[in-house]
Amino acid sequence: MKFSEFVNAYIQIVGAGASIQDCAEILAGAPGKNLLIADDPHHIQGILTLREIARALAAQAPPLAPAREFASTDFQRVLPGESLPETAEGSPAYWLVAESGRIIGVVSRSRVSEQIHKGSLSVMRRMSIFLDSIYNPVVAIDAEGLVIFCNKSLAKVSGKSVEEILGKPISDLFEDSQLIRIIRTGKAESTQKVRLGGKVYMTNRTPIFMGGRIVGATAVLQDISELEAISNELEHTRRISLELDAIIESSFDGIYVTDGEGRTLRVNKAYERTTGIRREDVVGHTMAELVERGFFNESVSMRVLENRKGESLVQKVKNGKTVMVTGTPIFDDQGEISLVVTNVRDVTELYNLQNELGRMEVLRTRYENELEQLRESAGAAPSVVIRSKKMKEVHELAMRLARVDATVLVQGESGVGKEIFADLIHTNSPRKDKPFVKISCAAIPEQLLESELFGYEAGAFTGAKAKGKAGIFESADGGTIFLDEIGEMPLSLQAKLLRVLQDKKIMRVGANHSMDVDIRILAATNRDLSRMVDKGAFRNDLYFRLNVVPVVIPPLRERKEAIVNFAYHFLEKYNRKYGFAKQIAPDVLDILYDYDWPGNVRELENTVERMVVVTKGDVIEPADLPEKLRIAPKSGLAHALGGGSLKSALEGLEREILQQALETHGSTHKAAKAMGVNQSTVVRKLQRYGIDPKKNNGD
């Protein structure tokens, strides 16, 4: 089927400046029309339908807001003669059909899905004719457990008509049906006994895949209640073997099956295609023999037989390809391994699948957050990525605090996202339409901070403006002020800030009267204010006034489960920013997970941006990581004694200690002082191990 057969030529091009109201009026008179947002007919910026208008209205967008902000950019240009995809999964939301450089219409993904579905139904009708001729009862269910097909044999033995069975739950037909389990596990099951119509049947259950996902399951039944002769038993076994062969051959993944002794029993076509190894070269041979002959560098089947559990490894095969193999043991009634079934997939495909799953996980997280925002009747900032239990608790607390006007102290290490959560509280508060002013108490000199915060009168000091100047507290009247790094505020200003918190009054520098202000104060610090109070570096009364409701944001090392999601979030962000489509290798994610991230989320974001910009290939590998991350985290004595002589182990440990001391302290002088040795000793040992101090920000 070609795109030209399904094109919707009912289109209209509107300018990039068109508002939501303009587009809504056009679509109200022509609901089926597709609006193309464009600078000119050859530069389409987005597609707008009633669905996008509805989303804009649901988001309470102003009627005069530019429609291009809500238009779908998920589209792709195609020619009329191009074929529709075999599956709509992973496709863009729209295709722009162009002929001779001119857009002649639009095809939506929903339209393609409908045609694919109709094609599938046609195939099912042809298959039903074939399956009706099979003696064995056959039944198939959809993902909801409803019967979508049964042949005449099944209807006959059940005592019902086909019409009475179709559309009913499978449990109405089999009280103890386990066919739903096949959909849940995605694994085929063979030779399982069921009862139907007073007879005992042996059933083989198989998942139904479409477009790479499970859409249902099917079961083939064999009456064994009257099997008395060994010949019938052998025929039954042969039939089951044929059915299993069909299941194995239909698998997209390579499948390799051995017996409990490691001898190859069967190999499917997908395995031959992926590895280049012919089945006649391996069937009947043991895995030990094949490894010795160079077909593989290692056998996962042998590891499964040795460890009696599932195993996975990356394997080199004879044609030089690298594949990911996963072996699963099948146990008999005596608890012995009777079979080892191995799934094989090209590593490149796994990389693509992993990154696609990562992108889907990011989208799922975003949708979960949006649903949570709707439940809270407010929306969080789109840059907030919440995956850990601790951060969900912090987020819930921030949303509750947004409803009240209490002073909030946000605490946490540098880089954990304190400012983002201050934004979150203000954005969801009743003051969200009023000013939100942020100021860093450490960034402004002490002598200027007071006048910046409180303003000054005319002639208050040399250089003051003739008319005076309003301070931040006045400018933010009715809104929110975020005082970052509050621990750096001078003691001389802390008393004035306390008055603002207590009385909602300020006094300009040089003034003799106070004025009322209506503001909410949010503060943040990475310092221990309670310890500063004990040392006299921070006012006790101000600390307790600020600390009405503390929000503590945990460091990234205490919520490692969020690291991978953050990595994919930032990867998507900077891929989009720089126009790349780079991916992250699984080994890189392991290294990112193991690192302690002293700079927290900010350091992780900077690291991902650097890798996106610097990496030459399309896949970010461990070698692309900064040097401090590439150093193995499992250092120390246990690592040093991993092999070799005691002398070499001690030398390795000494070299690692010197390397880390130099990186931590930045110079040989400071490193020597920290380790309690002479600087000349450090320099001599660095020369011995070939470590260049200049490459480590040294002397």
Side-chain angles (χ1 to χ4, degrees):
M1 293 182 289
K2 310 297 183 183
F3 279 103
S4 58
E5 300 176 37
F6 307 102
V7 67
N8 178 4
Y10 198 30
I11 61 175
Q12 180 174 337
I13 298 178
V14 298
S19 68
I20 293 175
Q21 181 174 326
D22 296 335
C23 295
E25 290 174 355
I26 295 173
L27 292 175
K33 180 175 289 187
N34 294 291
L35 297 185
L36 307 184
I37 310 295
D39 288 336
D40 59 71
H42 301 288
H43 184 205
I44 305 301
Q45 293 184 347
I47 299 175
L48 202 69
T49 65
L50 284 177
R51 180 173 61 181
E52 284 74 29
I53 292 293
R55 288 179 178 172
L57 296 177
Q60 298 183 349
L64 297 180
R68 67 175 180 272
E69 296 180 4
F70 302 92
S72 172
T73 58
D74 186 16
F75 61 84
Q76 176 183 332
R77 285 178 179 254
V78 296
L79 297 174
E82 292 186 43
S83 299
L84 293 179
E86 295 182 0
T87 173
E89 184 174 353
S91 299
Y94 301 96
W95 286 272
L96 295 181
V97 183
E99 187 173 39
S100 300
R102 183 176 65 86
I103 305 299
I104 64 172
V106 176
V107 178
S108 67
R109 180 168 54 201
S110 60
R111 178 66 169 151
V112 172
S113 298
E114 178 183 345
Q115 294 307 313
I116 293 173
H117 180 65
K118 287 182 178 178
S120 299
L121 291 177
S122 176
V123 173
M124 285 293 293
R125 283 193 290 269
R126 291 195 297 269
M127 286 298 297
S128 65
I129 296 173
F130 167 73
L131 293 174
D132 271 336
S133 66
I134 296 178
Y135 173 77
N136 287 50
V138 179
V139 64
I141 62 171
D142 62 12
E144 303 300 324
L146 302 179
V147 178
I148 58 175
F149 173 79
C150 73
N151 65 355
K152 293 180 179 178
S153 296
L154 184 98
K156 181 178 179 180
V157 299
S158 67
K160 299 180 180 180
S161 66
V162 172
E163 291 73 17
E164 290 175 320
I165 297 174
L166 293 179
K168 300 298 190 302
I170 188 65
S171 57
D172 290 355
L173 197 60
F174 300 96
E175 292 184 0
D176 57 346
S177 174
Q178 298 298 316
L179 201 52
I180 291 290
R181 184 172 64 199
I182 305 303
I183 299 175
R184 186 171 62 253
T185 65
K187 296 180 179 179
E189 295 180 355
S190 61
T191 62
Q192 302 295 315
K193 290 184 178 181
V194 295
R195 292 185 177 275
L196 180 65
K199 293 185 177 182
V200 179
Y201 291 87
M202 194 74 74
T203 176
N204 296 322
R205 306 163 186 155
T206 310
I208 301 173
F209 290 91
M210 182 178 294
R213 61 189 183 90
I214 299 175
V215 298
T218 182
V220 179
L221 283 66
Q222 171 64 44
D223 183 3
I224 61 171
S225 57
E226 298 180 358
L227 291 179
E228 298 177 351
I230 188 65
S231 60
N232 291 335
E233 184 66 29
L234 290 174
E235 177 61 24
H236 172 69
T237 303
R238 187 188 69 83
R239 187 178 295 111
I240 291 178
S241 178
L242 291 175
E243 292 168 355
L244 288 174
D245 280 339
I247 293 171
I248 291 174
E249 290 300 327
S250 67
S251 171
F252 177 79
D253 286 345
I255 296 179
Y256 195 109
V257 183
T258 69
D259 61 17
E261 302 298 325
R263 188 173 300 278
T264 306
L265 298 179
R266 60 181 66 183
V267 172
N268 71 348
K269 291 180 181 178
Y271 181 85
E272 292 182 302
R273 181 188 68 245
T274 302
T275 65
I277 297 175
R278 299 182 304 170
R279 66 183 72 190
E280 55 263 31
D281 293 334
V282 294
V283 172
H285 298 280
T286 65
M287 297 308 298
E289 177 186 349
L290 295 173
V291 170
E292 184 178 351
R293 290 170 55 186
F295 278 86
F296 321 106
N297 64 333
E298 189 177 1
S299 168
V300 73
S301 300
M302 294 172 64
R303 286 175 53 172
V304 170
L305 292 171
E306 179 181 352
N307 300 327
R308 296 178 59 80
K309 64 184 179 109
E311 296 282 352
S312 296
L313 57 83
V314 176
Q315 186 183 68
K316 287 284 186 181
V317 292
K318 192 174 183 180
N319 64 355
K321 283 188 177 181
T322 302
V323 295
M324 178 70 74
V325 295
T326 301
T328 304
I330 306 297
F331 294 92
D332 59 21
D333 293 340
Q334 287 71 44
E336 299 297 328
I337 297 178
S338 59
L339 296 172
V340 177
V341 179
T342 301
N343 286 74
V344 182
R345 176 167 291 185
D346 193 286
V347 170
T348 304
E349 296 177 9
L350 281 178
Y351 280 153
N352 293 338
L353 178 59
Q354 179 215 20
N355 282 279
E356 181 63 25
L357 288 175
R359 286 191 290 270
M360 294 302 293
E361 178 66 15
V362 170
L363 289 175
R364 187 181 70 84
T365 301
R366 185 177 302 163
Y367 296 152
E368 285 180 351
N369 291 337
E370 290 174 358
L371 289 173
E372 180 64 26
Q373 294 158 12
L374 291 174
R375 285 194 292 268
E376 297 287 348
S377 299
S383 60
V384 177
V385 177
I386 301 175
R387 293 300 300 151
S388 68
K389 180 180 179 182
K390 290 184 179 180
M391 288 306 293
K392 287 181 180 178
E393 294 173 353
V394 172
H395 176 265
E396 291 172 0
L397 176 58
M399 297 302 292
R400 291 197 298 272
L401 293 176
R403 303 193 193 104
V404 298
D405 219 25
T407 301
V408 177
L409 177 61
V410 185
Q411 303 174 74
E413 296 180 4
S414 178
V416 296
K418 298 186 290 295
E419 183 176 337
I420 291 177
F421 274 83
D423 282 332
L424 183 64
I425 292 173
H426 172 76
T427 303
N428 293 277
S429 73
R431 298 175 181 265
K432 62 183 177 181
D433 297 324
K434 299 295 183 178
F436 181 40
V437 182
K438 307 173 185 178
I439 186 169
S440 172
C441 299
I444 301 176
E446 178 179 347
Q447 59 271 26
L448 296 179
L449 184 58
E450 182 178 10
S451 61
E452 286 294 318
L453 289 174
F454 298 94
Y456 58 82
E457 293 290 330
F461 50 82
T462 302
K465 292 182 178 180
K467 295 182 180 180
K469 178 184 176 183
I472 289 174
F473 286 123
E474 289 182 64
S475 302
D477 190 35
T480 306
I481 289 183
F482 176 55
L483 298 176
D484 197 8
E485 300 183 83
I486 189 69
E488 309 300 327
M489 176 173 282
L491 280 168
S492 59
L493 290 182
Q494 292 181 19
K496 296 191 70 172
L497 177 60
L498 180 62
R499 186 182 182 194
V500 177
L501 289 169
Q502 290 178 335
D503 304 331
K504 300 294 184 182
K505 294 179 181 293
I506 65 166
M507 182 180 292
R508 288 185 177 185
V509 176
N512 55 13
H513 66 280
S514 62
M515 63 180 72
D516 295 328
V517 290
D518 175 23
I519 56 171
R520 180 184 189 179
I521 293 180
L522 307 177
T525 182
N526 59 6
R527 303 184 65 179
D528 188 343
L529 293 187
S530 63
R531 186 169 296 179
M532 292 179 65
V533 169
D534 294 339
K535 294 181 179 180
F538 201 85
R539 290 181 64 103
N540 184 58
D541 47 5
L542 177 59
Y543 170 64
F544 287 109
R545 190 66 183 173
L546 287 171
N547 202 34
V548 174
V549 184
V551 176
V552 180
I553 303 179
L556 191 54
R557 62 181 173 274
E558 293 182 8
R559 44 188 171 109
K560 284 183 173 289
E561 63 270 33
I563 289 176
V564 172
N565 290 279
F566 270 124
Y568 279 119
H569 173 75
F570 295 136
L571 177 68
E572 182 184 37
K573 173 182 176 180
Y574 290 110
N575 268 338
R576 186 167 55 249
K577 178 178 179 180
Y578 297 113
F580 295 131
K582 297 190 177 181
Q583 304 166 355
I584 298 180
D587 291 348
V588 173
L589 294 175
D590 292 338
I591 295 173
L592 296 181
Y593 184 88
D594 290 335
Y595 184 58
D596 277 343
W597 299 106
N600 293 294
V601 180
R602 185 185 297 121
E603 181 185 6
L604 175 57
E605 179 174 5
N606 292 342
T607 299
V608 173
E609 181 180 13
R610 170 184 171 179
M611 292 190 297
V612 169
V613 173
V614 174
T615 302
K616 295 181 180 179
D618 291 334
V619 178
I620 299 172
E621 302 286 356
D624 300 316
L625 286 166
E627 185 177 358
K628 63 181 179 181
L629 270 71
R630 293 200 305 268
I631 297 175
K634 297 179 180 178
S635 59
L637 184 59
H639 176 69
L641 295 178
S645 64
L646 177 61
K647 179 180 178 182
S648 63
L650 291 174
E651 289 176 349
L653 183 57
E654 184 179 52
R655 186 187 191 285
E656 189 170 324
I657 291 172
L658 288 168
Q659 180 83 40
Q660 292 183 359
L662 190 59
E663 290 180 357
T664 301
H665 300 288
S667 71
T668 55
H669 288 283
K670 294 179 181 179
K673 182 178 180 181
M675 292 188 292
V677 297
N678 294 327
Q679 190 249 358
S680 59
T681 301
V682 173
V683 172
R684 185 178 69 255
K685 289 183 177 294
L686 290 175
Q687 292 174 345
R688 174 185 177 187
Y689 294 120
I691 301 174
D692 186 357
K694 295 181 180 179
K695 292 184 179 179
N696 295 272
N697 300 320
D699 315 282

